[in-house]
């Protein structure tokens, strides 16, 4: 009888040790899989920083492209045209010139602001640029001269609108 009770006690001890060993091993396995509790948070921070850097580089590239489109020149320093205002002398009356410059700049500014939202810089895509006849009246004079002034002003207005001026 003593032997059976020793057998039962030994079996119970063996069972407890087996259970204890299983608990210890499973706990260390879990610990090995996730050694750092904030690992996901630091990964998200690295991803956010990489996205910020990519956005900064994208904005720098947009500005570089704008400078290339302007030929690297600052428009305010160019002295062309009859008033040194940067627009060439395409002939026509002063009224034709001013009407075309005002209408072209305003239409270009509007188109540039719209295209800034989409992130696409292309002034020639606008129908107003292609037609170049907004506010034109035959009493002003030569249509070709009007279109030349209009398109020059449209490009300046487009650039200003696209860049947020």
């Amino acid at each position: 009888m003593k032997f059976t009770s020793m057998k039962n006690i030994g079996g119970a001890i063996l069972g407890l040790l087996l259970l204890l060993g299983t608990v210890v091993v499973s706990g260390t396995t879990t610990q090995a899989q996730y050694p750092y509790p904030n690992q996901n948070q630091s990964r998200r921070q690295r991803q956010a920083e990489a996205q910020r850097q990519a956005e900064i580089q994208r904005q720098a590239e947009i500005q570089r492209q704008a400078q290339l489109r302007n030929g690297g020149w600052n428009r305010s320093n160019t002295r062309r045209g009859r008033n040194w205002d940067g627009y060439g002398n395409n002939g026509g009356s002063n009224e034709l010139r001013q009407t075309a410059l005002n209408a072209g700049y305003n239409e270009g500014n509007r188109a540039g602001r719209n295209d800034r939202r989409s992130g696409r810089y292309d002034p020639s895509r606008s129908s107003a640029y292609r037609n170049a006849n907004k506010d034109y009246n035959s009493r002003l004079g030569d249509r070709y001269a009007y279109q030349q002034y209009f398109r020059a002003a449209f490009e300046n207005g487009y650039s200003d609108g696209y860049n947020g001026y």
Side-chain angles (χ1 to χ4, degrees), residues 82-99:
R82 41 179 110 151
N83 299 326
W84 289 4
D85 56 5
Y87 299 103
N89 186 2
N90 297 321
S93 68
N94 193 46
E95 184 180 6
L96 174 133
R97 185 175 194 276
Q98 280 308 120
T99 304

Side-chain angles (χ1 to χ4, degrees), residues 82-153:
R82 41 179 110 151
N83 299 326
W84 289 4
D85 56 5
Y87 299 103
N89 186 2
N90 297 321
S93 68
N94 193 46
E95 184 180 6
L96 174 133
R97 185 175 194 276
Q98 280 308 120
T99 304
L101 293 178
N102 290 339
Y105 184 88
N106 292 335
E107 287 297 309
N109 195 288
R110 186 175 302 119
R113 284 192 315 248
N114 289 338
D115 286 355
R116 179 178 59 192
R117 291 185 203 109
S118 66
R120 182 174 174 185
Y121 189 96
D122 186 9
S124 62
R125 194 168 55 102
S126 171
S127 63
Y129 179 84
R130 289 191 308 270
N131 296 335
N133 60 7
K134 173 119 170 100
D135 293 345
Y136 175 74
N137 189 329
S138 60
R139 68 176 175 77
L140 292 173
D142 184 32
R143 179 181 220 121
Y144 180 76
Y146 183 90
Q147 289 175 331
Q148 295 303 306
Y149 285 127
F150 183 96
R151 287 184 179 128

Side-chain angles (χ1 to χ4, degrees), residues 2-142:
K2 275 186 161 188
F3 183 67
T4 26
S5 69
M6 281 296 264
K7 200 174 175 185
N8 288 340
I9 292 174
I13 291 174
L14 185 60
L16 283 174
L17 286 175
L18 203 61
L19 180 64
L20 182 63
T22 305
V23 168
V24 168
V25 169
S26 67
T28 57
T29 303
T30 304
Q31 181 71 19
Q33 288 177 356
Y34 301 104
Y36 306 109
N38 294 331
Q39 187 175 12
N40 287 337
Q41 181 180 1
S42 63
R43 181 173 41 84
R44 284 192 300 268
Q45 287 173 343
R46 285 192 307 269
Q47 287 175 342
E49 181 62 28
Q51 287 174 345
R52 279 192 292 273
Q53 290 298 324
E55 179 63 22
I56 289 170
Q57 289 177 350
R58 190 180 74 77
Q59 291 296 329
E61 180 63 20
I62 288 173
Q63 286 186 344
R64 191 182 71 77
Q65 291 291 332
Q67 284 179 341
L68 289 176
R69 279 190 298 276
N70 290 338
W73 295 98
N74 183 357
R75 282 192 321 232
S76 63
N77 290 335
T78 58
R79 293 184 171 186
R80 290 182 28 204
R82 41 179 110 151
N83 299 326
W84 289 4
D85 56 5
Y87 299 103
N89 186 2
N90 297 321
S93 68
N94 193 46
E95 184 180 6
L96 174 133
R97 185 175 194 276
Q98 280 308 120
T99 304
L101 293 178
N102 290 339
Y105 184 88
N106 292 335
E107 287 297 309
N109 195 288
R110 186 175 302 119
R113 284 192 315 248
N114 289 338
D115 286 355
R116 179 178 59 192
R117 291 185 203 109
S118 66
R120 182 174 174 185
Y121 189 96
D122 186 9
S124 62
R125 194 168 55 102
S126 171
S127 63
Y129 179 84
R130 289 191 308 270
N131 296 335
N133 60 7
K134 173 119 170 100
D135 293 345
Y136 175 74
N137 189 329
S138 60
R139 68 176 175 77
L140 292 173
D142 184 32

